[in-house]
Amino acid sequence: MSKGEGRGRFTWYDAELDRPSHERAAIEADLRQAIARYEIEPWFQPIVQMGTGQLSGFEVLARWKHPTRGEIPPEVFIEIAEDSGQIGNLGFNLLHRACMAARDWGRELTIAFNISPHQFLDSNLVAQLEEILKECDFDPRRLTIEVTESSIIHDFDMARAKLNALKALGVKVALDDFGTGYSSLASLRKLPFDRIKIDRSFVTNIAAEPQNQKIVTGIMALANGLELDVTAEGIESEQDRAYIETLHCSMGQGFLFDKAIPPDQVSWLLETKWSQHRVDATELTSGT
Ligand code: C2E
Ligand code: MG
Ligand code: MG
Ligand code: MG
């Protein structure tokens, strides 16, 4: 949990982890209610085609505005949901709502959805996903499932079987936060990923960081060799964007384009900022 997820967050985060267990238990109980009352919402962060600058789709990011505690970061409540056996309920509920929302957008945009380790191990995962896709009449080819290395390192054979079962549904699978784990090279060779997402710690401010330039250039060569698509996370500036474009990375995501936006604002953004033309620097800086 020390991965440096945003500066302002550390205070809250550290304080939260240090809280006495009765506080954590209180959040856990509140979480149960919040899930039942649909208070945790799927928000949407744009994923953009590099080069054309067109919108490709969104990553679904969970947001919880607690009535008294304020916004609780997903890394906090997702972990509590995992530990307390609630991640299945929460995750499937979020995906269901995200797919329903995406049907109303009127464009064949993709959605990327995060699956955490417990949910990945759940023997019902594939069947439940299939059910949601059917219920929402959502084209599986529009869905990418994102997993992190922590889901796959313990049992590669199981992971391969599970990823293949997901792909048999027609969905795509991506390895998230690439570069932060330990067995990345091995996992890439052995597992049927369609895409990797380069962790933002290598991408943000890349133009000024020669070490990160080497790492990301290496990752791109590897991905090309293995015929994997790549998304660069954490594009925060025009400089980040320009550098990443020189590496022929196909997709980008980051605060330069947009932060995660609430579901009820997506349609409006699709008609304005994210209409079909390339979004350029002036619009980005004067935008939302
Ligand atoms: P992730 O899947 O790697 O998601 C990307 C995170 O990076 C998001 O943080 C996003 O807001 C942030 N981000 C995107 N672009 C930038 C940028 O340019 N700069 C900076 N500083 N940050 C950027 P968020 O929403 O706080 O989520 C954190 C993590 O929580 C996610 O990392 C994911 O692992 C987990 N998470 C969020 N929603 C869900 C969910 O619905 N289910 C599961 N299982 N996990 C989720
Ligand atoms: Mg992700
Ligand atoms: Mg990530
Ligand atoms: Mg992450």
Side-chain angles (χ1 to χ4, degrees), residues 2 18 32 39-40 55 65 70 82 108-109 124 129 136 148 156 173 184 188 190 199 226-227 232 263 266 284:
S2 57
D18 288 343
R32 207 168 288 278
E39 282 166 14
I40 300 175
L55 184 68
K65 189 154 191 257
E82 285 254 303
E108 295 285 296
L109 297 165
N124 287 323
L129 270 180
C136 301
T148 54
F156 268 71
V173 290
S184 306
L188 280 190
K190 290 187 194 165
D199 192 74
L226 294 169
E227 299 186 321
V266 174
L284 287 166

Side-chain angles (χ1 to χ4, degrees), residues 226-260:
L226 294 169
E227 299 186 321
L228 288 162
D229 287 325
V230 182
T231 304
E233 296 188 296
I235 296 179
E236 292 192 359
S237 66
E238 267 306 322
Q239 288 90 327
D240 295 346
R241 177 194 200 163
Y243 196 92
I244 291 296
E245 281 186 344
T246 65
L247 300 178
H248 307 291
C249 172
S250 66
M251 301 281 180
Q253 182 178 350
F255 292 171
L256 173 70
F257 304 113
D258 256 323
K259 294 187 174 177

Side-chain angles (χ1 to χ4, degrees), residues 264-274 288:
D264 59 0
Q265 285 179 29
V266 174
S267 291
W268 179 77
L269 278 161
L270 290 180
E271 283 163 25
T272 52
K273 176 174 176 180
W274 291 111
T288 55

Side-chain angles (χ1 to χ4, degrees), residues 32-59:
R32 207 168 288 278
Q33 263 195 351
I35 295 170
R37 293 177 178 166
Y38 305 109
E39 282 166 14
I40 300 175
E41 289 194 304
W43 286 37
F44 296 91
Q45 187 183 27
I47 298 175
V48 175
Q49 286 169 25
M50 305 302 287
T52 70
Q54 288 195 359
L55 184 68
S56 168
F58 297 96
E59 178 170 6

Side-chain angles (χ1 to χ4, degrees), residues 108-204:
E108 295 285 296
L109 297 165
T110 57
I111 57 177
F113 189 77
N114 295 288
I115 293 283
S116 47
H118 280 81
Q119 208 179 359
F120 187 71
L121 291 176
D122 187 341
S123 54
N124 287 323
L125 172 69
V126 177
Q128 292 212 264
L129 270 180
E130 189 173 18
E131 198 180 314
I132 290 172
L133 291 166
K134 274 211 188 93
E135 274 175 19
C136 301
D137 190 23
F138 192 81
D139 184 346
R141 288 170 301 184
R142 290 173 64 190
L143 177 64
T144 299
I145 294 296
E146 297 187 0
V147 301
T148 54
E149 259 191 278
S150 43
S151 285
I152 57 181
I153 45 174
H154 301 296
D155 187 343
F156 268 71
D157 292 332
M158 188 282 297
R160 189 190 303 113
K162 184 73 62 106
L163 292 169
N164 278 325
L166 288 170
K167 291 184 70 165
L169 292 179
V171 308
K172 299 203 167 51
V173 290
L175 182 58
D176 204 353
D177 302 347
F178 185 75
T180 57
Y182 299 100
S183 56
S184 306
L185 272 168
S187 35
L188 280 190
R189 266 194 303 110
K190 290 187 194 165
L191 297 170
F193 285 108
D194 299 293
R195 172 175 298 277
I196 55 176
K197 297 186 77 169
I198 304 178
D199 192 74
R200 64 184 160 83
S201 56
F202 305 109
V203 175
T204 306

